[in-house]
Amino acid sequence: ESAINSFFDRNFGSRGFNGSFLVAKDGEILAEGYRGFRDPVQKTSVLGEHDAFHLASVSKTFTGMAILKLWEDGKLGLDDDLSLYFDKFPYPGTTIKMLLNHRSGLPNYTNYLDVYKWDRKKFVTNLDVLASLYKMRPSLQFPTGKRFSYCNTNYALLALIVEKVSGISYHDYMQQTFFTPLQMNDTYVFQQ
């Protein structure tokens, strides 16, 4: 406990740490704790073991897992062109594998939506991202498949492919395929 407290003091100092931690060795939990609040600004409701954290890009790992599960089940091919899933997709030659590997060349919606005056008060859905590619047709960052560039647009499209191929919502697919069978009882897909 003193090593943990020392770590937090050294790395977070007076600003404090807001989150949870777990220290394990050889499959045995040595220490587990929760510090801070559900709302760190208001400082109400102390964090506990069942509180969820918005993990943003960590979810890309789960989306990739979903795509690979559908591939394993023979429901899609990694070299499939996106036009198989999105009629007349405006960026020909883009494949599922390129999305997974951040090699699509597609522009990152977190950058181009501002240029096209997206209403910042409106929550951006995956369907909004797809529609914006058709409507706005932002330029590719580089020729499709030619290099790597981390891109959120890729994973928004992959989540839509999961829905299209599975016939159910991304949330339901993740819950039925991974979270429930693996007893991930405190893992959720954020829904607006």
Side-chain angles (χ1 to χ4, degrees):
E1 190 168 322
S2 105
I4 291 169
N5 289 332
S6 174
F7 170 83
F8 283 118
D9 290 343
R10 186 174 58 254
N11 291 288
F12 297 98
S14 62
R15 72 180 188 269
F17 172 78
N18 198 84
S20 61
F21 65 89
L22 184 135
V23 178
K25 182 176 180 181
D26 299 325
E28 181 182 342
I29 296 174
L30 303 176
E32 178 177 0
Y34 311 90
R35 295 182 178 204
F37 303 91
R38 287 184 191 155
D39 181 343
V41 175
Q42 298 294 323
K43 297 192 190 274
T44 57
S45 298
V46 175
L47 283 173
E49 67 181 300
H50 298 291
D51 289 320
F53 294 90
H54 185 77
L55 298 178
S57 287
V58 172
S59 67
K60 286 179 175 68
T61 304
F62 288 95
T63 303
M65 241 173 24
I67 290 290
L68 292 176
K69 177 68 173 138
L70 290 166
W71 168 76
E72 180 181 67
D73 292 344
K75 296 185 178 182
L76 59 77
L78 298 180
D79 292 319
D80 288 352
D81 191 279
L82 293 197
S83 62
L84 290 172
Y85 304 95
F86 310 122
D87 189 40
K88 298 179 183 166
F89 188 70
Y91 303 91
T94 307
T95 67
I96 290 175
K97 185 187 290 182
M98 289 175 188
L99 297 180
L100 285 167
N101 295 333
H102 295 285
R103 297 181 64 82
S104 69
L106 292 172
N108 197 330
Y109 74 86
T110 60
N111 300 329
Y112 76 78
L113 286 179
D114 282 345
V115 173
Y116 290 94
K117 308 290 188 243
W118 181 267
D119 180 359
R120 288 177 157 247
K121 294 177 186 165
K122 184 180 177 200
F123 183 79
V124 180
T125 67
N126 294 336
L127 279 174
D128 290 332
V129 172
L130 178 62
S132 73
L133 292 172
Y134 280 94
K135 182 179 179 187
M136 299 172 184
R137 296 199 185 238
S139 300
L140 289 171
Q141 292 180 314
F142 51 85
T144 301
K146 294 298 180 189
R147 54 177 255 241
F148 170 90
S149 181
Y150 187 86
C151 180
N152 293 313
T153 304
N154 294 335
Y155 279 76
L157 297 177
L158 287 169
L160 290 172
I161 292 170
V162 168
E163 292 182 335
K164 190 163 206 116
V165 171
S166 71
I168 58 178
S169 71
Y170 177 82
H171 168 270
D172 289 345
Y173 183 81
M174 299 306 290
Q175 192 66 49
Q176 292 172 23
T177 307
F178 300 111
F179 304 157
T180 298
L182 297 173
Q183 299 177 16
M184 298 172 71
N185 301 324
D186 292 317
T187 304
Y188 315 95
V189 172
F190 175 77
Q191 298 181 88
Q192 178 92 353

